[in-house]
Each structure stands twice: as structure tokens, then as C-alpha cells.
Amino acid sequence: MSQFVSEVQLTVLLIASSMTFFFMLLSAFKLIAETINGLSFLFFVDSRDELNLYTSLKPLSWIFLVGGFLSIFLTFSIWGMVGISVLVILIYLVVFFIKLVL
């Protein structure tokens, strides 16, 4: 591959593709989280109080989008991007269960 492009161009290409991949991954997690929450509340909500709980939990899926933007700053480290992905998932789960219990 180095016959066609220089090392700098190859590095920039790999960084850009890893940025795109991790941003898309965390955006997909956001959509999946929002869909699962929406479907679960659609099928299992019995009262208005639980419906209000859904509206309070809906903004939590933005945590994944913020994580996607944070992964842009860690593009030079693949372990940093994997770490931010795992950290964002754990933060989402902790905040979700805290809001669900309280």
C-alpha cells in the first residue's frame, strides 16, 4: 500500500476511518438504546406515572452521542477509543438504573 500513498496519507486515512467507525458505533448504540426503551415502555406501561418515567429516561441516549464526540479526541489510540466506548456504556447503564430506581 505504501507504493501508492505516503505513510502520512496512510496514517491520516486510518485515523479518519477509525474516527468514523467509533462515532458510528456509539451513534448506533444511541439508536438501539432509544429503540429498546421506547418498545419496552410501549408494551409494558400501565399508568401515566410510568409514561412520565419514559420521558425522563429518553434524554439518556444522548450519552452515547457525547461519547462519540469524545472519541474524536482519542483517535491516536485505539485502546482509548475502545475504553471510551466501554466507559460510555457503563455510564449509561449506571445512570439508567439510578433513574429507574429513584
Side-chain angles (χ1 to χ4, degrees), residues 12-92:
V12 169
L13 177 68
L14 288 173
I15 288 172
S17 61
S18 65
M19 281 174 31
T20 304
F21 173 75
F22 278 97
F23 181 76
M24 289 172 51
L25 179 73
L26 288 167
S27 296
F29 283 152
K30 176 195 176 297
L31 289 174
I32 290 169
E34 194 169 309
T35 303
I36 289 173
N37 282 339
L39 286 176
S40 64
F41 276 97
L42 175 70
F43 289 123
F44 300 112
V45 168
D46 291 333
S47 66
R48 286 277 186 208
D49 295 333
E50 292 173 351
L51 192 58
N52 291 337
L53 178 64
Y54 171 67
T55 56
S56 70
L57 289 175
K58 192 171 182 179
L60 289 181
S61 59
W62 284 92
I63 292 173
F64 289 115
L65 194 61
V66 172
F69 285 124
L70 288 178
S71 70
I72 292 172
F73 298 112
L74 297 172
T75 55
F76 296 106
S77 169
I78 190 74
W79 294 112
M81 288 191 286
V82 169
I84 198 76
S85 300
V86 170
L87 183 68
V88 165
I89 291 170
L90 290 175
I91 289 172
Y92 175 81

